[in-house]
Amino acid sequence: MAGKVFFSVSMSLDGFVAPEAVPVEDVFSPEGQSDPRVQRWMAKWSELQAWVFPLRFFRENLKLGEGGEEGLDNDIVRATYERTGASVMGKRMFDGGELAWPEEAPFHTPVFVVTHEKRDPWERPGGTTFHFVNDGIEAALDQAREAAGERDVRIAGGGETILEYVNAGLIDEFTIALSPVLFGTGVRLFEGIDASRVALEQIHAEHSPKVTHLTYSVRQR
Ligand SMILES: NC(=O)c1ccc[n+]([C@@H]2O[C@H](COP(=O)([O-])OP(=O)(O)OC[C@H]3O[C@@H](n4cnc5c(N)ncnc54)[C@H](OP(=O)(O)O)[C@@H]3O)[C@@H](O)[C@H]2O)c1
């Protein structure tokens, strides 16, 4: 049986999944650290993801060190990784990750990057291979479904790519980890949503002291 297509993101209470974009090279370069735009980006990103960084599974997967918090949030993050047989992501998410992920990238499955850039597959130790797909979101999803087998396909991000999939009617289900932070500006997840086509049903809600996990199934109106 084919798996589901889903996304799972952290979102600020006012609907943003990333701060306003700054060049990724600046975020991850020593010189960039004194740039106020980079400092603002990092401060907002850290607040948005404050619930996830201390988690045991996240720390182990990103090679940040042993140990960490266990409990509901950790179980949810682990389950999200375990259900995922392949991921799809946009080029901007990939660009940041290429600089930030450890050599053993944290997916351990094929990843399909939707992009205009032509590039050969990039194989990492530990089972992650990035494939660069130049013929659109449906082609990327077809390849991801094939690679995932019976497991689910995760549309990993960022906001622009997720929205394309939602508006194309290709998402079955999604989870928002609603963080208690306000961004005011940034990458707004549902900016440009085709609300006349997309209807939601809440299928799950639970919370830890730090964050609220909301899961919805998606259907076409
Ligand atoms: N809050 C969370 O949980 C979460 C999760 C994931 C990511 N993020 C954040 O989201 C941010 C990135 O999101 P974003 O919305 O700015 O960008 P994005 O969705 O990651 O990437 C957009 C780019 O992907 C390529 N692309 C997308 N659709 C395409 C298509 N149909 N055909 C060809 N190329 C296509 C284009 O790049 P090219 O034209 O250059 O190829 C486009 O500029 C990052 O800051 C990341 O950290 C947050």
Side-chain angles (χ1 to χ4, degrees):
M1 206 177 81
K4 289 181 178 166
V5 180
F6 79 103
F7 69 85
S8 179
V9 291
S10 299
M11 190 176 86
S12 71
L13 190 55
D14 52 348
F16 297 93
V17 289
E20 47 283 85
V22 294
V24 281
E25 308 75 44
D26 294 351
V27 174
F28 296 105
S29 74
E31 309 78 60
Q33 303 313 303
S34 52
D35 182 335
R37 291 170 317 142
V38 170
Q39 289 169 349
R40 260 198 313 276
W41 192 96
M42 207 44 104
K44 280 176 137 181
W45 182 251
S46 303
E47 268 194 72
L48 180 69
Q49 301 287 29
W51 69 277
V52 91
F53 289 132
L55 301 179
R56 184 186 186 103
F57 177 79
F58 183 82
R59 291 175 54 75
E60 285 172 0
N61 203 30
L62 267 294
K63 309 275 181 236
L64 298 175
E66 303 218 335
E69 293 176 8
E70 300 194 32
L72 176 76
D73 294 336
N74 193 57
D75 292 348
I76 288 174
V77 171
R78 181 190 299 278
T80 302
Y81 273 82
E82 286 176 352
R83 70 184 280 197
T84 301
S87 294
V88 176
M89 70 181 58
K91 181 63 166 38
R92 277 198 288 273
M93 177 174 173
F94 172 79
D95 286 344
E98 185 176 19
L99 297 172
W101 293 317
E103 192 184 6
E104 193 175 307
F107 301 96
H108 311 290
T109 64
V111 176
F112 298 89
V113 181
V114 189
T115 178
H116 294 95
E117 185 185 309
K118 295 199 184 332
R119 180 167 163 178
D120 290 336
W122 189 42
E123 191 177 340
R124 312 306 297 141
T128 305
T129 300
F130 295 95
H131 302 271
F132 300 89
V133 181
N134 304 129
D135 44 0
I137 59 166
E138 298 205 14
L141 182 56
D142 287 347
Q143 292 178 58
R145 281 190 209 271
E146 178 78 28
E150 292 184 1
R151 286 202 286 165
D152 295 338
V153 172
R154 180 179 186 178
I155 310 300
E160 180 182 325
T161 302
I162 287 174
L163 190 71
E164 284 182 75
Y165 279 100
V166 175
N167 279 341
L170 294 169
I171 298 290
D172 299 313
E173 189 180 292
F174 68 86
T175 299
I176 301 283
L178 196 59
S179 280
V181 298
L182 296 168
F183 268 18
T185 57
V187 178
R188 197 187 275 281
L189 181 58
F190 293 115
E191 188 79 53
I193 188 73
D194 184 354
S196 66
R197 283 189 62 191
V198 179
L200 305 179
E201 182 186 349
Q202 182 170 304
I203 55 176
H204 205 65
E206 55 191 336
H207 70 90
S208 73
K210 291 184 177 170
V211 72
T212 301
H213 304 273
L214 300 165
T215 301
Y216 302 89
S217 67
V218 184
R219 62 179 168 76
Q220 301 299 298
R221 285 190 196 279

